Amino acid sequence: MLFLVASNTQTGWVYLLSGTIFGSLITGWWTSRRALRPAGFRLWVPTSAPRGQGFAATLSWESASRGYPAYWRPLQGLVLDQQGRPTALLELNAREQRVWLVAERRGVYDWLDGEITCYGPLAWFAARRALVPKLSQPLHVLPRRLQMSQEAIQAFSRGTLGERRGQPSGHGDLRRLREYQVGDDVRSIHWATSARTGELVVREFSQGGALQLVLCWGCHPECLQELEAFEEMLDWVYTYYAHARESSWPVQLLVPQADGSWRTTDQPEALAYADLLPCQAAPVWNAAEGWTRIDFWLGPCPSGAPRIFEFGDRAAQERRLA
């Protein structure tokens, strides 16, 4: 039909060329859409990871596309970094792909929005579909770990922040073997057991003369709008927590609750759940022997604790530990 039109009209060859190009584009889009068949997608993630720090995950699937390669990328909260590329190539004959993700926002991820793309024969009009892979477990994105000054690290490692001095607990007696957690010192990994079980296992030692820390954070009722300062404060809390864990020191977190109470935990996942809550008063702490408490407050701290770092105003900027 197009050939007849082109043969009997003065501008028919223009119509013929345009129709050919248009038909090729439609065919390429239709082919890409027909080839895209995502099914059985699952993303294996760790329990927790610090914000801004990359971590490895495994993406598996039953089928992605037929005859043409497909590409996957997350959309919100996490960024994919595949050797500088924001997408992961899902090869035709593969059913698993190792990916490197970087968390942009703190929080708990029960699902991860994403997109899968398939380019057909022309690779002009790709077929796209929303894809939410099932997570192997909830992902807790912890605050960012900051750099401490050399003076602060020396004071911290020597125990001058607390009432007790002594050798780090990593030099004491072996207490048990346990599963590796983010922030553990890699020098404590028990490689023989890790190789046998296929999972990283670390040695946990007795306390000895180690510094024992209690980290507390809160927010003055007048500072509930300072979200950026709140995230920075949590970054410092996690930084102290990570340094203590690397030194195998006991560390506790005092977590404010919505009803005004305080909860004690030693799990860093509490920092991923942390919300900006008003605190009328600092928690009462009956200090056990050898425990040192450090308070981090957004705004002025209502207590007279000896070790307080305040955030959110210009005066506090000068007092902040950097």
Side-chain angles (χ1 to χ4, degrees):
M1 179 62 69
L2 292 175
F3 182 78
L4 292 176
V5 171
S7 301
N8 293 276
T9 58
Q10 200 169 22
T11 58
W13 293 108
V14 176
Y15 294 132
L16 178 61
L17 180 61
S18 300
T20 302
I21 295 175
F22 182 74
S24 300
L25 295 178
I26 292 296
T27 302
W29 173 83
W30 181 81
T31 303
S32 300
R33 186 172 180 84
R34 291 275 297 177
L36 191 58
R37 292 291 185 270
F41 273 78
R42 188 177 179 89
L43 186 62
W44 303 84
V45 295
T47 303
S48 60
R51 179 171 62 94
Q53 180 177 325
F55 61 93
T58 301
L59 181 67
S60 62
W61 63 91
E62 296 178 3
S63 65
S65 60
R66 300 176 182 175
Y68 301 96
Y71 299 84
W72 172 79
R73 68 184 180 98
L75 294 179
Q76 296 180 355
L78 299 179
V79 175
L80 190 66
D81 185 8
Q82 291 294 97
Q83 297 179 349
R85 301 189 305 270
T87 58
L89 172 62
L90 311 181
E91 299 181 359
L92 293 177
N93 298 324
R95 292 294 180 268
E96 188 175 279
Q97 174 71 36
R98 194 74 166 173
V99 296
W100 190 256
L101 298 171
V102 180
E104 293 184 315
R105 294 198 304 268
R106 180 184 60 85
V108 182
Y109 292 81
D110 295 316
W111 66 86
L112 181 61
D113 294 332
E115 182 182 70
I116 185 171
T117 305
C118 179
Y119 294 93
L122 297 178
W124 287 347
F125 288 95
R128 292 181 173 86
R129 287 189 183 180
L131 179 65
V132 183
K134 183 178 179 180
L135 298 185
S136 59
Q137 59 185 339
L139 172 63
H140 299 79
V141 177
L142 305 175
R144 187 188 303 271
R145 181 171 179 178
L146 304 176
Q147 295 292 332
M148 296 179 67
S149 66
Q150 189 64 28
E151 293 78 5
I153 294 176
Q154 290 176 356
F156 192 74
S157 61
R158 292 172 183 171
T160 55
L161 291 177
E163 291 79 9
R164 296 184 64 185
R165 287 171 174 259
Q167 295 296 325
S169 57
H171 295 171
D173 297 330
L174 179 64
R175 182 181 177 187
R176 61 168 179 161
L177 297 177
R178 60 172 175 80
E179 182 181 355
Y180 174 85
Q181 298 179 1
V182 175
D184 287 337
D185 189 350
V186 295
R187 294 173 297 181
S188 299
I189 296 178
H190 195 271
W191 294 109
T193 304
S194 300
R196 185 174 64 255
T197 61
E199 300 289 340
L200 288 179
V201 176
V202 297
R203 296 183 293 264
E204 186 176 281
F205 297 91
S206 58
Q207 294 181 7
L211 177 66
Q212 303 175 84
L213 286 180
V214 176
L215 304 179
C216 171
W217 73 86
C219 174
H220 193 276
E222 298 179 359
C223 301
L224 296 178
Q225 304 300 323
E226 301 188 28
L227 298 179
E228 184 176 351
F230 177 69
E231 293 296 331
E232 183 185 0
M233 180 180 67
L234 292 182
D235 292 344
W236 279 110
V237 176
Y238 178 67
T239 299
Y240 270 79
Y241 179 92
H243 275 286
R245 288 296 301 269
E246 285 184 352
S247 300
S248 300
W249 295 342
V251 57
Q252 297 282 338
L253 298 173
L254 272 178
V255 185
Q257 304 297 300
D259 58 359
S261 62
W262 297 80
R263 180 172 63 91
T264 304
T265 179
D266 60 353
Q267 300 300 317
E269 287 77 15
L271 293 167
Y273 288 102
D275 292 325
L276 188 56
L277 301 173
C279 302
Q280 298 292 342
V284 178
W285 174 255
N286 297 323
E289 181 182 358
W291 286 87
T292 299
R293 173 174 156 183
I294 304 177
D295 286 6
F296 301 83
W297 283 86
L298 183 59
C301 180
S303 70
R307 284 169 292 274
I308 300 174
F309 299 105
E310 296 177 347
F311 295 78
D313 60 7
R314 182 171 299 178
Q317 296 278 345
E318 301 176 357
R319 298 192 299 271
R320 190 173 311 164
L321 187 59

